[in-house]
Every structure is written in structure tokens, then in C-alpha cells.
Amino acid sequence: MSQLPGDRFLNRELSWLDFNARVLELAEDETLPLLERVKFLSIFASNLDEFYMVRIAGLKRRQSTGLTVRSPDGLTIREQLTLITERTQDLVHRHADVFIKDVAPRLEDCGIRILHWEELADDDARRLREYFRDQVFPVLTPLAVDPAHPFPYISGLSLNLAVSVRDPDTGLAHFARVKVPNNVPRFVTVGAAGAQDVAGQATFLPLEDLIAAHLPQLFPGLDVVSHHLFRVTRNADLEVEEDRDEDLLQALERELARRRFGPAVRLEVTGSMDPQILEVLLSEMEMQPEDVLHVPGLLDLASLMALYDVDRPELKDEPFVPATHPRLSEGETPKSVFATLREGDVLVHHPYHSFATSVQRFIEQAAVDPNVLAIKQTLYRTSGDSPIVNALIDAAEAGKQVVVLVEIKARFDEEANIEWARSLERAGCHVVYGLVGLKTHCKTALVVRREHGVLRRYCHIGTGNYNPKTARIYEDLGILTADPRVGADLTDLFNTLTGYSRQTNYRMLMVAPHGIRAGLIEKIRREARNAADGRSSGIRFKLNSLVDERIIDALYEASLAGVPVELFIRGICALRPGVPGLSETIRVRSVVGRFLEHSRIMSFANDGEPEWWLGSADLMHRNLDRRVEVLLRVCDESASRELSRIFDAAMAPDITCWQLGGDGRWSRSGERDYQGELLRRVGEHAD
């Protein structure tokens, strides 16, 4: 391998902030429907919350060890945190500006208003005083801070009022904290109608404004001098010490109880925050001035999603109904999934194809089919009222053997998954919790069916979770197949996940942590050899994130050999494309839009015999080293052609996208809506 330059990697954390900046650009896009812009404002804020809870928390934890650790791009942790803070403060100000100066006035023009207390009409103020008395006041708990009352625990992501009060007799000032309750709507409806009127007009008051207007009732006999809103973000990344001799469920439950008390990593304050109160907050929560983000206007704009729920369809994208895959129905009549798969594989593309009439129906038909003997499935995330889980429970109660690997370490879904696991166990399912030291992230289902005295296996392998709710907003792909080679591979995989098998070689799969990185690098190098020998070559990857340095270096080597490389990456990209003498044949683009691009596809030209792979793995250290991931080789010609068409559409020169330059900057270009075109195409096929 030739010597590659030391500055060939982009910083992963700054690259993630660039992704969130692309989300923010959609909120700034005046061509989008107004409430869709509100939605992107909310998504930007919730994304940033999770970034601090996990990524910044992780950097701070490593910094606290005192070790000098540099990122692949050569930055120390302190240097990274400084750059992240500067970039984040800039983005937060842009975020607030687009809401305050652009979106909020446009909402008001459309009859959707957010008022402050002093702007209320007398009748509205009277009604809200009654609402406060009946619905809010009983929930509030003012907490004093003095020698007899230690500084209270501030829960992560909660809104809080820091209140300064004075004793009129002694003149002594005191500090108190009032938590804005999270079990009361953040935006209180103003007006007698309760919700919105017939014309779609809707007026709201922030809950913190309502509480602030009634602070004297919380501190009778004292003078309320001032109040300031603040919000704390805490480390929410679990560190479960996995011991083979300890019950993983108990260890995780113990760690979940600790998570709410994780160290504070970010303090958000309004621009009017009193410096003395800020000093108290920093001191009591053991934070530094660089941990503070000053936010103009409202804090926690993630809560704007409540405004998106206002019934104003003309201010939103046109609704669409996912189409049933044409091979899974005859007119309006559903077909047997098993009969269809015996004729050939089915590639489903969500949300364009309905999850309910494809993957969900596959599990539901298996649950009630008397010829089905067993169902084996991995569950990483699913919905609150999961039809998949309900079908698995029905199957177990019907006497089928049901094996479910529930990944109880799925971040932020741990408690829900523990509940699912217990519900499944009570129904008689065999539930396992994965492998020690690894998260099981693959999306796989195996159905064993007796047909004419012979057992036949039917499979689903996908890129997204078995979650019917996110399947309407996440773009994902999946293969439904009766290929006996895939069935044999999944049987081996489930034996590894549930037993002591150490299977590492498969027929149609690449499986992490042992096989994906090495398998992909070998195929990348094959393309480089083909290019060097004058044969046809080419690499196409569609990913959420590309971070793994060994794979990036292999792609650089392929580019130096002349291989055309097209990368379609939604989020983080640590590779520098288009750099002379390094990556001249590589281009990187990103699409951020109505649906969250979530599928992972890999394609290799292979000297005229193209290989297509799809699965659950992004090309990051955690996916390749610390997770069970699956990539499936797509052999069905019809499915391969469809994957090629999807990629061709994504890389077309005139679609709206962001292009990454060798300097790490993303630039927006194009006028054609890639996702809109796929919607139209699926709709035409459905007709």
C-alpha cells in the first residue's frame, strides 16, 4: 500500500454537525410547506440533544481519564470539544433565528400563534389562570436552596426556572428552582375552544410563561425578583459491565436506574440569564463556562413537533399511502407471502412499499399458518403497540416454536425492550438477549414451514427495524426470500445467537464482527485490481455513515487505481473526496428530505458481473467490531436491477442533494426531488 497523507480523514463529530446543518437548511428552505419547516426545526433540536447525551458525553468521559487521545484527524479531545462548541453555538443561533425571524411570523400569518403572557386578552388570561390553578399548580414543587435545602437534582432535558426571591422583612435573597413539568403539554392552548377553531386558527402559550406569571403563588410572602429558564443535558450513554456470570437483564436495569444521574454535559440558558445565577448553576452542577450554550428565544425547540400536529394539511406535504408491492397482491386481494416467495425473491422499499402488507404480513401469516413450525426473529427497536410482537405472541400461544432475540441494549429503547422481552416470555416465546460484549443490530427473520413432508425456510433480511411507525418515515430496504442458501445461513446465524456456535463462514451473508470489514476490503481491492488490469470496475455504497479508517483507506487505494467510486451517505463521512492524488475518482453526496435515508447498500462492478449487498451495517467501528450485523448478497436479478435503478436515481446529476468537497464542505445543488420521484414511480406501478 502506498503512503497516504496524514490529513486524509475528516473529523466524525464535526461531520455529524454538518449533517444536522443540512437538516437545518431544510428548516430554512422557503420552498417547503411551512409546517414541514417546523418539523425540521424540531428534528434539528432533538438530534442535537442526542448528540450531546452520547457523543459529547463520551468525549468528556474520555477526557476525564487524563489520557492524551487523538482522533484519526489528529485532534485532541480538548481541541475537538472547542471546535464542536463553536460550531454548535453558531448552529443554535441560526436555528433560533430561522424560527424567531422567519417561521414564527409566517405561522402567525397563517393563524398559528405562540404568545407570551403579557400579550393575552383579558378573557384568555382569566381562563388560563383557572387552568393553572386546576391542572398545573398541584403538579409544581418549588425547591429552595439554602443550608437546610441542598441544591436539587436537575433531571436531563427538563426545562427549569431558576427563581430569585427576597424576604421583604430581612431583605435576604434566596435561590429556588421550579421544574416545568413534562407531563403537562409544553404549549398550552389559548382560547375558549380548547384546541383550534373551525378555520384552523390555533394560539398557544408556552407552559413556562404560564408558570412564570404565577410564581408569586408558589412563594407567598416573598418578593419574586427574577426568573430565568435553563435546561440541562446529561450523559445518557450506558456502560453495562457485562459479566458472563451475571444476568444481563438485571445489570441493564441497574444501569438504567443510574443513567438519570449521569454527569451534566450541556447547560442551555436564555440570553437574559443573570450572570450570578448562571455562576450558581455551573458551580452546583460541576460544569464549566464552555459547557454553556446561549439560546435566543425559546429553549427546547424539539417540542415544536406539537405545532406540527395542528390540523392544517395545506401547510404540510401531501399525504401518501404506501403501496402494496405488486407481487404481494392480486388487485385488492392479498396473496400468500409463502406462495409468492416460492416464485422468487421480493425486494421491498419502505416507505414507498407498505411495511404492513409485506414484512408485517409475512410474520402475521406465519403466526396463523398451521404448517409453520417455527419463527425466529431479531428485534432491535419496535413500536409501542407492535403488531410484530403481537403476532409472535399469537404464534407462541398457538404452539409454534418462537425464538426472539431482543436487543435490550438498544440505546434509549432499553426499557421498552425489557418490557417486550417479558411479554414474549410470558407468552411462551424463547427470548434471548444477545451475546456478551456485542449488540445484535441485524434485522433478520426466519420462518420454518412444513410443505408436503419437507421443511422449507422463508427469510426476511432488511436494513431497518421491525417498526411499523418508523417504516412510514425511514427509507429502508428488505429482501423476502425462500432461497435455501439464505435459509441455511440464517439457521446458522440464529444458532450462533442463541447457543454456543462459533460459526463465522456463511454462503450468502457477511456477518460482523468477524466478516464484514474483511469481506468488503477484499471486494474493494478486487475492484482496484480490475481497474489496474484494464477491466471494468466500480464501487457504489449507500450508507448512513462512513467512518472506518481501514475501509476508507481501501477506497483511497481503489481511487488511486482508477476505480470510479460513488458514495451516497446521509450523515457522517470521514472520507475526503475529489482530492488530487488521493481520491479524484470518488464523489460523495447526501440527500436529506421528507424521509430519513436509512438503507445500506453496497455494489461492486466485478468486471461485468455486478454484486449487490444490502443489510444493517454502517461502516463504523461500532458496527464492524462491537455489533452483530448482517449483509446479504442479492442474487435475484429483478431485485438487483431495482437496486441499480434506485442508485441511478440517487446519483442523477440534477437531483437536489448536498455534495461533499475535499475541504470537508458540503454544498447544495440540483432541483429535482429524488424522494418525490420515487413516490411517483411507485404510485404509477400501483395504478
Side-chain angles (χ1 to χ4, degrees):
M1 180 180 289
S2 60
Q3 185 67 38
L4 297 174
D7 62 350
R8 63 191 182 276
F9 302 117
L10 298 170
N11 183 270
R12 69 159 284 168
E13 318 302 347
L14 297 175
S15 183
W16 184 91
L17 287 173
D18 287 340
F19 156 67
N20 214 27
R22 297 197 287 281
V23 175
L24 181 55
E25 281 192 56
L26 293 180
E28 296 169 331
D29 189 341
E30 297 180 6
T31 67
L32 295 182
L34 185 57
L35 286 178
E36 299 300 330
R37 298 177 66 191
V38 170
K39 178 184 74 177
F40 286 117
L41 285 170
S42 172
I43 291 171
F44 171 92
S46 59
N47 284 349
L48 199 59
D49 286 346
E50 185 169 332
F51 177 68
Y52 268 83
M53 287 189 288
V54 178
R55 295 303 309 172
I56 300 304
L59 287 175
K60 287 180 175 290
R61 185 174 62 246
R62 276 179 276 161
Q63 185 182 41
S64 68
T65 65
L67 298 174
T68 302
V69 181
R70 291 186 180 271
S71 58
D73 59 319
L75 297 177
T76 65
I77 292 176
R78 178 174 293 279
E79 289 169 336
Q80 288 184 80
L81 289 172
T82 298
L83 290 171
I84 289 166
T85 299
E86 292 172 356
R87 177 81 167 119
T88 302
Q89 188 67 72
D90 175 63
L91 289 173
V92 164
H93 276 277
R94 268 179 63 190
H95 184 234
D97 279 353
V98 71
F99 178 66
I100 295 168
K101 299 177 181 178
D102 185 8
V103 171
R106 290 173 188 263
L107 286 171
E108 188 158 350
D109 291 342
C110 294
I112 301 172
R113 307 167 68 204
I114 299 177
L115 299 181
H116 295 291
W117 179 262
E118 60 273 13
E119 299 174 282
L120 295 176
D122 291 344
D123 285 348
D124 291 331
R126 176 180 53 77
R127 279 189 289 268
L128 287 176
R129 277 192 286 269
E130 294 173 359
Y131 175 82
F132 176 82
R133 180 194 65 206
D134 298 337
Q135 302 294 329
V136 181
F137 181 78
V139 182
L140 300 178
T141 305
L143 296 173
V145 178
D146 59 31
H149 301 86
F151 191 84
Y153 167 74
I154 309 294
S155 54
L157 301 186
S158 63
L159 282 173
N160 302 270
L161 288 166
V163 185
S164 177
V165 294
R166 181 182 293 117
D167 186 323
D169 298 327
T170 65
L172 291 176
H174 300 280
F175 174 87
R177 172 260 191 164
V178 179
K179 179 179 178 179
V180 178
N182 57 11
N183 53 0
V184 177
R186 166 73 188 284
F187 293 108
V188 182
T189 303
V190 176
Q196 63 189 77
D197 63 22
V198 176
Q201 307 289 303
T203 305
F204 301 97
L205 177 78
L207 180 58
E208 61 267 27
D209 271 37
L210 180 63
I211 295 171
H214 293 83
L215 284 174
Q217 295 183 33
L218 294 170
F219 301 97
L222 298 175
D223 296 329
V224 177
V225 178
S226 65
H227 64 272
H228 304 277
L229 199 66
F230 69 95
R231 185 172 182 255
V232 173
T233 307
R234 293 187 175 275
N235 181 340
D237 200 17
L238 289 176
E239 293 183 90
V240 182
E241 295 294 331
E242 297 186 48
D243 188 322
R244 292 181 186 276
D245 298 323
E246 182 182 21
D247 185 297
L248 178 59
L249 195 60
Q250 293 178 353
L252 184 63
E253 288 182 313
R254 183 180 65 245
E255 194 61 31
L256 282 169
R258 291 179 186 165
R259 177 160 74 180
R260 57 191 298 264
F261 298 104
V265 296
R266 176 180 64 167
L267 175 62
E268 295 172 275
V269 301
T270 58
S272 61
M273 169 64 75
D274 184 298
Q276 288 184 314
I277 290 181
L278 178 58
E279 190 174 330
V280 170
L281 294 174
L282 289 174
S283 173
E284 293 291 348
M285 290 188 290
E286 300 179 342
M287 302 181 75
Q288 302 302 316
E290 56 264 29
D291 298 325
V292 179
L293 278 178
H294 296 270
V295 181
L298 291 172
L299 294 187
D300 185 21
L301 290 187
S303 59
L304 288 177
M305 197 59 82
L307 270 62
Y308 184 78
D309 292 336
V310 171
D311 186 18
R312 295 289 296 276
E314 76 279 12
L315 301 179
K316 301 179 184 180
D317 286 330
E318 289 186 18
F320 84 102
V321 177
T324 295
H325 192 287
R327 288 194 50 219
L328 294 174
S329 68
E330 291 180 353
E332 299 297 318
T333 306
K335 291 175 63 176
S336 163
V337 178
F338 304 116
T340 300
L341 297 186
R342 286 194 293 271
E343 299 168 358
D345 296 355
V346 173
L347 176 74
V348 286
H349 193 190
H350 311 301
Y352 310 103
H353 291 137
S354 167
F355 179 88
T357 61
S358 56
V359 180
Q360 181 180 318
R361 183 175 290 166
F362 171 54
I363 302 300
E364 289 173 339
Q365 287 186 358
V368 299
D369 188 327
N371 294 316
V372 168
L373 305 181
I375 304 173
K376 301 182 181 185
Q377 186 163 2
T378 58
L379 283 181
Y380 191 74
R381 303 186 198 277
T382 189
S383 58
D385 180 22
S386 173
I388 296 284
V389 172
N390 293 338
L392 294 172
I393 289 173
D394 291 343
E397 291 176 344
K400 304 181 193 307
Q401 179 174 308
V402 179
V403 178
V404 188
L405 191 144
V406 180
E407 183 45 82
I408 56 175
K409 301 189 292 284
R411 184 182 291 139
F412 303 128
D413 278 332
E414 299 95 345
E415 293 181 25
N417 284 5
I418 288 172
E419 288 302 310
W420 286 130
R422 289 182 168 147
S423 298
L424 289 161
E425 282 180 328
R426 285 194 295 269
C429 300
H430 301 290
V431 178
V432 291
Y433 302 122
L435 303 175
V436 172
L438 299 173
K439 282 185 181 179
T440 304
H441 187 248
C442 54
K443 326 298 182 183
T444 57
L446 172 67
V447 171
V448 182
R449 190 171 188 266
R450 180 184 286 120
E451 298 175 1
H452 308 296
V454 177
L455 296 187
R456 187 159 191 167
R457 290 173 283 205
Y458 296 86
C459 311
H460 171 262
I461 294 178
T463 69
N465 298 305
Y466 292 104
N467 187 329
K469 291 185 178 177
T470 58
R472 292 183 68 96
I473 54 176
Y474 283 25
E475 178 272 341
D476 273 302
L477 288 154
I479 288 279
L480 290 158
T481 181
D483 187 325
R485 298 169 298 176
V486 179
D489 276 350
L490 281 193
T491 299
D492 290 341
L493 176 65
F494 275 104
N495 288 343
T496 300
L497 296 175
T498 62
Y500 290 110
S501 167
R502 295 188 178 182
Q503 178 93 9
T504 56
N505 295 317
Y506 296 86
R507 304 154 190 85
M508 304 293 290
L509 305 180
M510 285 190 275
V511 179
H514 301 292
I516 291 182
R517 181 189 284 111
L520 291 177
I521 288 176
E522 188 280 324
K523 295 178 189 306
I524 293 169
R525 288 175 177 167
R526 182 188 63 195
E527 296 303 310
R529 291 193 299 270
N530 286 342
D533 293 341
R535 295 192 292 268
S536 65
S537 65
I539 296 169
R540 287 177 150 187
F541 286 177
K542 182 179 185 298
L543 304 164
N544 295 322
S545 300
L546 173 60
V547 173
D548 188 79
E549 292 84 17
R550 288 165 61 187
I551 289 180
I552 291 173
D553 279 348
L555 291 171
Y556 285 145
E557 292 289 336
S559 179
L560 290 170
V563 179
V565 180
E566 294 181 309
L567 304 176
F568 182 32
I569 299 175
R570 184 194 80 223
I572 304 168
C573 181
L575 177 147
R576 294 181 183 271
V579 177
L582 177 67
S583 56
E584 293 174 63
T585 67
I586 303 177
R587 43 182 198 130
V588 178
R589 65 169 45 179
S590 176
V591 168
V592 182
R594 176 175 183 172
F595 308 125
L596 183 85
E597 294 290 330
H598 192 250
S599 63
R600 294 89 165 182
I601 317 169
M602 294 83 170
S603 169
F604 303 92
N606 192 27
D607 191 23
E609 297 181 8
E611 276 188 28
W612 286 93
W613 296 77
L614 67 77
S616 56
D618 281 308
L619 302 186
M620 306 175 74
H621 302 156
R622 71 184 187 197
N623 300 84
L624 303 181
D625 296 324
R626 301 189 299 277
R627 290 185 175 186
V628 179
E629 304 275 14
V630 166
L631 296 181
L632 167 70
R633 181 168 181 180
V634 179
C635 290
D636 182 88
E637 290 187 9
S638 175
S640 297
R641 285 195 300 271
E642 181 58 25
L643 290 174
S644 183
R645 282 192 289 268
I646 290 169
F647 217 109
D648 287 343
M651 301 305 290
D654 55 346
I655 68 157
T656 302
C657 66
W658 284 260
Q659 307 270 1
L660 178 61
D663 58 358
R665 298 177 185 274
W666 293 86
S667 57
R668 196 176 185 187
S669 63
E671 299 177 350
R672 207 154 48 85
D673 180 3
Y674 161 67
Q675 295 179 347
E677 299 229 341
L678 289 182
L679 274 175
R680 285 190 291 276
R681 192 171 82 188
V682 171
E684 289 166 2
H685 289 171
D687 294 340

